Amino acid sequence: MDPKSVKKVGVIGLGKMGADWVANFLETGFEVIGYDANTEMFERSRKQVAGDLNWLKKKKHADDADFDVDACLAKYKIVETEDAFVAELQSCQIFLEAIFEDITLKCDMLQNLTPKMPAGIVLWSNTSSLSVLTMAEACGKPEMFVGTHGMNPVHQMPAVEVVRHKKVSNEALQFTVDVLTLMGKKPFVATDVSGFWVNKHLMPFMFEAYRALERGEVTVADGDWGLKGSLGHPQGVFKLSDFIGMDTMYRVGMSMYLATQDPRLYPPLIVMRMIARNELGVKTGKGFYEWDGFKIVKERDFSDLVIKDANKLIMIKE
Ligand SMILES: NC(=O)c1ccc[n+]([C@@H]2O[C@H](COP(=O)([O-])OP(=O)(O)OC[C@H]3O[C@@H](n4cnc5c(N)ncnc54)[C@H](O)[C@@H]3O)[C@@H](O)[C@H]2O)c1
């Protein structure tokens, strides 16, 4: 399997992660075919991909006259139906899934699509935490299925967790590492346990910060600065959450809780309360911060969500 044989990649799920991956593939010179079940994502993903490529031009390719954002974008095609996507996949060498973090949804999609794909295609999943072996078995070609957990934002972060499960072939794993390296990434191999390496540590850490906020122990700005200024993190937990999306935080946390029964991974109440208010982060303009696009407008006050009195919370009147 030669990484240089890759010319075209099919991506399903064009949300935050899917679109950032698309930009990275285009930057490498690959053609990309995209599909999403939600037609509203077509325009949104085009905009996000264009923004990512402009960022890459400015920060990485400023001196490279051959790096042309419009030429990259011309290689990105979105199809409107699953049948059209399957037809385009016939000429792809890699398939990447970046749909919601839901094992049943991912397995159903893979069971349906993989039998219609060409024999030699290598299958990648951007899952944050789910059992890669379960998905590999669902697709029917476990030897060709690899977990490729890209970090948010994928086009900026160098590391990718390449998740090795017990039925993947050495060839597919090595091919994956080689293609990612060709793309300028610095992949590392992780074990197929819930949350792999990064989220196994990050998720309990983030949920503990949420719990501190809902106990009124910290403010958003102090919490973020405390970690950034003390531990050298590039950004604090609350800002990072807003980039990830509270809906994704819920799905990843709950999947990991169900897989491990570790109580630290049960999403804290504040997660459900913010989802109910559509405060998902950057994508809805409001999360732990208020956002104008990718710019913070202001820190939000969470004193109304502080849990002080259990009776008040469940509205018991004496
Ligand atoms: N957001 C992050 O920071 C982050 C980081 C690393 C990994 N991930 C993982 O990446 C994956 C995608 O996450 P995201 O944050 O991009 O989510 P998202 O909600 O932004 O996008 C998911 C997209 O998948 C589409 N979709 C859902 N079911 C589909 C189906 N059956 N067919 C076609 N399209 C479908 C949705 O319409 C949506 O546009 C998840 O597995 C998530 O855990 C997310």
Side-chain angles (χ1 to χ4, degrees), residues 232-250:
H233 290 191
Q235 62 202 347
V237 164
F238 299 117
K239 188 172 171 193
L240 176 62
S241 294
D242 277 0
F243 282 118
I244 293 172
M246 198 49 98
D247 48 344
T248 301
M249 285 302 296
Y250 175 82

Side-chain angles (χ1 to χ4, degrees), residues 207 211 250 253-254 257 262-269 271-272:
F207 280 174
R211 290 190 187 97
Y250 175 82
M254 192 52 98
Y257 172 72
D262 180 341
R264 295 173 309 157
L265 293 162
Y266 195 87
L269 190 57
V271 175
M272 278 67 102

Side-chain angles (χ1 to χ4, degrees), residues 240-292:
L240 176 62
S241 294
D242 277 0
F243 282 118
I244 293 172
M246 198 49 98
D247 48 344
T248 301
M249 285 302 296
Y250 175 82
R251 286 195 179 98
V252 176
M254 192 52 98
S255 304
M256 290 181 68
Y257 172 72
L258 291 173
T260 62
Q261 301 292 303
D262 180 341
R264 295 173 309 157
L265 293 162
Y266 195 87
L269 190 57
I270 198 168
V271 175
M272 278 67 102
R273 296 170 94 188
M274 287 176 72
I275 291 174
R277 296 167 166 208
N278 201 32
E279 295 169 359
L280 305 184
V282 173
K283 62 176 120 178
T284 58
K286 210 184 240 192
F288 291 112
Y289 294 89
E290 275 180 31
W291 294 87
D292 177 11

Side-chain angles (χ1 to χ4, degrees), residues 12-18 35-38 41 98-101 105-106 109 126-128 149-150 152 244 247-248 252 283:
I12 188 165
L14 304 177
K16 177 69 184 90
M17 301 307 284
Y35 172 67
D36 196 292
N38 177 0
M41 298 311 290
I99 68 171
F100 296 141
E101 187 79 345
L105 193 74
K106 286 193 197 270
M109 178 275 293
N126 192 59
T127 178
S128 304
H149 177 211
N152 188 2
I244 293 172
D247 48 344
T248 301
V252 176
K283 62 176 120 178

Side-chain angles (χ1 to χ4, degrees), residues 64-93:
D64 177 0
D66 291 338
F67 186 83
D68 181 54
V69 170
D70 290 335
C72 289
L73 284 170
K75 290 188 168 183
Y76 181 32
K77 185 170 157 195
I78 298 176
V79 286
E80 301 197 358
T81 65
E82 207 174 270
D83 285 349
F85 185 56
V86 168
E88 291 280 355
L89 284 177
Q90 304 314 310
S91 48
C92 289
Q93 292 74 42

